[in-house]
Amino acid sequence: MVGLQRQNGAAVDWQRLGYVAGASAVVVILVTELIVLYIVRGKAQRQKDLPPGPQPWPMVGNLPALAGAMLHQNLQQLAAKFGPVMYLRLGSVPCVVVSTAEVARALVGASDEHLSSRPKLLSFSILSENRTMGTAPSPGKLWHSLRKFSSSELLSVNRVASYEGTRREELSNMMQVLLETSTRGEAINLKFWLFQTAANLTTRMLVNKRIYYGNKANSYQEEVEKEFEQVLKDRVHYQSAPVISDYVPWLRFFSEKMQGWRSKLEAHRDREMSLFGKILELDKRRKRAAKGEADASYIPDFVDVMMEAPVDNGKVLDDKFIIKQLIEFFTAGVETSSRALELAMAELVANPEIMKRAQEEVDTIAGKDRLVQESDIPNLPFLTAVMKETFRMHPSLPLGFPRESTAPIEALGYKIPARTGIIFNAYAIHRDPAVYENPDEFNPNRFLQQHRNVNHLAAFDSYELIPFGVGRRMCPGFNLGNIIVLLMLANLMHSYDWCVPDGGSVDPIDAEMRGLVLCPRNPLILVPKHREGVPAF
Ligand code: HEM
């Protein structure tokens, strides 16, 4: 064997050692050269009409400043130094970070159509073909028709209202599961119950199926339950995978092959396609539709309608794409709403006087002999303010969903080039001291007084509260998401008192980004105590 000798009984691979020494020398020379470049040429390279920002390092740009789970806070701190419109370089990709409502309003007002594209990330192309509603680069024909179709068939105010009975049934079902825990006097990891309930509310609407059956699940259902949870958790991770070649394209071979991102993403795609293939049962639906009148008792659901809709340039969508679009809806709806609820509950437990006031309001409106219904929500201004305050302090997607400009934009005295990443830092926007007094304090009252007109459901209006994003790419599921969180929160308040086991306390401020989603760092473990006289389901 070439270059292999024995020394004191140990094998020495001289050829390998030679490679290592050579590679180390190259790295040292490269790093030295880069530091020199950084010092000598750094500021000189900067275009004058770009927004201000920290000096980028060669090759990696400002990526090192953004590493870690507190990315939203790192960007907020950088913005405090460089201003509300800040220019960064992520590898070789230029990026503008927006950190105040005023700047967001000016940019969207000046150029919404040029800010409404998504970048072509490796994860988007493998998991979603860069074609689903959330990942389509520019709002083209398919995007428009998918958005129109899902709004009219699923997400419009009227459609969402038409599923009220389904949500009531599903919520009551999951409240029974909660009662079993509370009767045993046990503490509960609230995250799981919230995730499972949000999942059932969503899947019942989309595919007329529940995923979680509590103690009644058979072994097949248990398997689906576990897989559903894991697949959605992994989807959040993989969708925002830190693939270095998305930012430094010439490192494609290294990140896709050597780090294995391509094969990891493909493996995840195959896993989620297999699970959702089983859940959606498109072939079975097709056979049922072919039988026509014979199965008159069957009521078509959203997926049946989607399979027949000519949304792809006059043609129906292919099966694989339908599954991918549905996976996007499930992830977008379930992860965001359950995490927002977890943080709302954490804030309420940490602020017992606010919890008490919310309970009093709910008692006054719903009485003590029925569950809270959706028709009660307009009469629950304090609870609505609690939810707005949670969205303000803990937006589920603190940095929104990736955006990219499609044309040069001139605004606020700067020139932002085409193909620049745009980050709306909702976390920083929501904690701007120039807008919100004591922004780090949980104070729902602000949305009943000074900020009572702020409407977080408006795409082109209330930029000071943007949990659902802004402009034409704003979340299309905002009605549904808003109803789900308010309905669940109202009933959790109404039917239970909540406390931390063993007299402990909750620190809701302790939240970090996992993928793009904001999550409490520690699981929220609470003891539910059923409130006397109030129905539990
Ligand atoms: C509390 C619940 C929810 C929150 C906080 C939330 C938040 C968001 C945010 C911040 C965006 C990015 C918008 C932008 O780029 O400006 C988004 C996009 C999206 N959301 Fe939601 N969402 C929620 C519920 C839902 C639901 C229930 C669905 C559907 C079932 C949904 C489907 C989508 C889709 C498809 C997109 C991509 C839209 C596009 O690119 O055109 N979301 N959501």
Side-chain angles (χ1 to χ4, degrees):
M1 212 179 286
V2 188
L4 189 72
Q5 291 178 12
R6 286 206 170 263
Q7 208 178 39
N8 299 334
V12 180
D13 186 342
W14 293 110
Q15 197 173 21
R16 201 162 154 258
L17 274 183
Y19 285 143
V20 172
S24 310
V26 170
V27 170
V28 171
I29 293 167
L30 208 67
V31 169
T32 316
E33 204 168 305
L34 292 176
I35 292 172
V36 172
L37 263 175
Y38 176 72
I39 295 165
V40 177
R41 294 175 55 195
K43 279 186 181 157
Q45 279 186 338
R46 202 176 172 80
Q47 236 176 273
K48 282 203 184 71
D49 39 16
L50 286 173
Q55 193 176 330
W57 287 90
M59 245 175 15
V60 289
N62 303 107
L63 278 175
L66 306 187
M70 306 310 276
L71 181 54
H72 53 305
Q73 288 186 354
N74 296 351
L75 287 174
Q76 183 197 30
Q77 280 154 18
L78 276 179
K81 199 163 162 203
F82 293 99
V85 52
M86 175 170 70
Y87 182 82
L88 302 177
R89 247 195 40 227
L90 308 182
S92 57
V93 176
C95 178
V96 162
V97 184
V98 176
S99 303
T100 63
E102 206 186 334
V103 169
R105 181 175 284 110
L107 269 187
V108 176
S111 214
D112 182 45
E113 62 169 316
H114 299 313
L115 291 171
S116 296
S117 189
R118 305 272 187 222
K120 290 185 180 166
L121 305 179
L122 184 70
S123 62
F124 287 6
S125 77
I126 293 179
L127 301 179
S128 313
E129 303 174 21
N130 281 331
R131 274 176 86 217
T132 56
M133 197 199 297
T135 62
S138 48
K141 243 180 167 178
L142 179 61
W143 177 85
H144 275 286
S145 93
L146 278 171
R147 231 173 130 114
K148 201 167 150 208
F149 167 76
S150 41
S151 173
S152 70
E153 294 300 328
L154 183 75
L155 301 169
S156 67
V157 176
N158 288 345
R159 272 290 162 181
V160 169
S162 72
Y163 284 99
E164 200 254 328
T166 310
R167 282 190 294 275
R168 193 178 334 129
E169 193 183 308
E170 228 25 73
L171 183 66
S172 165
N173 186 53
M174 290 305 286
M175 295 285 282
Q176 288 188 45
V177 175
L178 194 56
L179 182 65
E180 286 160 26
T181 312
S182 108
T183 312
R184 291 195 297 271
E186 288 171 7
I188 181 172
N189 183 344
L190 201 58
K191 171 191 139 182
F192 293 117
W193 186 88
L194 293 169
F195 177 88
Q196 293 171 359
T197 308
N200 277 1
L201 293 176
T202 314
T203 55
R204 272 299 299 280
M205 275 186 67
L206 267 72
V207 292
N208 204 12
K209 267 187 187 177
R210 67 173 59 119
I211 300 290
Y212 292 96
Y213 287 82
N215 292 338
K216 297 181 194 114
N218 61 32
S219 58
Y220 172 75
Q221 286 159 347
E222 267 177 10
E223 218 172 280
V224 172
E225 289 180 358
K226 274 194 209 127
E227 185 67 355
F228 185 89
E229 197 165 314
Q230 192 58 45
V231 160
L232 255 64
K233 189 172 160 216
D234 289 351
R235 153 77 54 152
V236 170
H237 166 69
Y238 282 119
Q239 195 169 40
S240 53
V243 181
I244 189 73
S245 53
D246 285 337
Y247 304 98
V248 187
W250 61 267
L251 285 176
R252 176 163 299 151
F253 182 78
F254 170 74
S255 70
E256 288 189 19
K257 293 272 187 234
M258 290 169 73
Q259 289 193 309
W261 277 116
R262 178 168 284 279
S263 55
K264 284 184 222 169
L265 284 160
E266 285 172 350
H268 176 75
R269 176 200 58 202
D270 294 347
R271 187 175 173 187
E272 64 180 21
M273 290 297 284
S274 156
L275 172 72
F276 281 90
K278 279 187 228 154
I279 294 175
L280 299 178
E281 301 182 302
L282 299 188
D283 279 341
K284 198 166 151 190
R285 289 163 184 276
R286 202 164 277 116
K287 280 186 198 139
R288 190 189 289 123
K291 275 200 227 156
E293 298 296 300
D295 198 358
S297 63
Y298 179 77
I299 302 167
D301 59 26
F302 176 73
V303 179
D304 292 308
V305 181
M306 193 172 187
M307 287 172 76
E308 300 279 316
V311 282
D312 190 3
N313 215 357
K315 295 189 300 257
V316 294
L317 297 162
D318 67 77
D319 284 5
K320 278 193 176 157
F321 184 77
I322 292 179
I323 300 178
K324 285 176 183 154
Q325 184 59 66
L326 266 289
I327 295 174
E328 183 172 284
F329 283 153
F330 288 127
T331 322
V334 178
E335 276 293 332
T336 45
S337 49
S338 59
R339 289 308 191 169
L341 275 158
E342 205 180 344
L343 285 156
M345 286 299 289
E347 285 290 4
L348 287 170
V349 172
N351 295 282
E353 69 300 342
I354 297 178
M355 165 98 86
K356 189 161 172 273
R357 187 168 161 198
Q359 282 178 322
E360 282 166 3
E361 184 186 63
V362 174
D363 288 348
T364 312
I365 299 303
K368 291 214 165 180
D369 53 2
R370 64 171 174 85
L371 291 184
V372 188
Q373 290 164 11
E374 289 179 20
S375 54
D376 295 322
I377 288 174
N379 301 319
L380 298 172
F382 187 69
L383 193 90
T384 306
V386 167
M387 207 55 242
K388 281 187 179 178
E389 183 67 343
T390 307
F391 278 141
R392 183 187 71 79
M393 287 191 70
H394 313 291
S396 311
L397 301 179
L399 302 179
F401 206 62
R403 300 266 193 125
E404 190 179 270
S405 63
T406 46
I409 298 167
E410 286 195 43
L412 302 150
Y414 300 116
K415 282 188 185 157
I416 299 170
R419 308 222 46 211
T420 297
I422 310 287
I423 296 178
F424 290 97
N425 186 352
Y427 182 86
I429 291 173
H430 293 176
R431 290 181 186 233
D432 180 358
V435 175
Y436 293 108
E437 207 179 311
N438 300 326
D440 295 328
E441 184 188 310
F442 188 78
N443 173 17
N445 269 330
R446 67 176 92 239
F447 288 112
L448 298 175
Q449 296 165 356
Q450 197 187 350
H451 300 285
R452 66 183 167 282
N453 293 328
V454 168
N455 176 11
H456 59 303
L457 306 180
F460 294 96
D461 190 3
S462 299
Y463 289 87
E464 50 274 66
L465 188 61
I466 54 166
F468 293 102
V470 289
R472 72 182 63 187
R473 219 64 203 247
M474 182 195 176
C475 174
F478 62 91
N479 278 316
L480 179 59
N482 201 50
I483 287 282
I484 286 180
V485 289
L486 283 169
L487 182 69
M488 283 168 70
L489 187 64
N491 279 293
L492 289 177
M493 294 291 87
H494 189 41
S495 298
Y496 291 93
D497 287 317
W498 298 87
C499 64
V500 184
D502 308 321
S505 65
V506 162
D507 182 5
I509 310 302
D510 206 10
E512 63 185 18
M513 279 182 75
R514 302 211 187 116
L516 293 173
V517 183
L518 194 68
C519 306
R521 198 189 296 262
N522 299 310
L524 183 63
I525 314 277
L526 295 178
V527 182
K529 189 165 171 280
H530 183 214
R531 296 177 76 211
E532 227 176 288
V534 182
F537 59 90

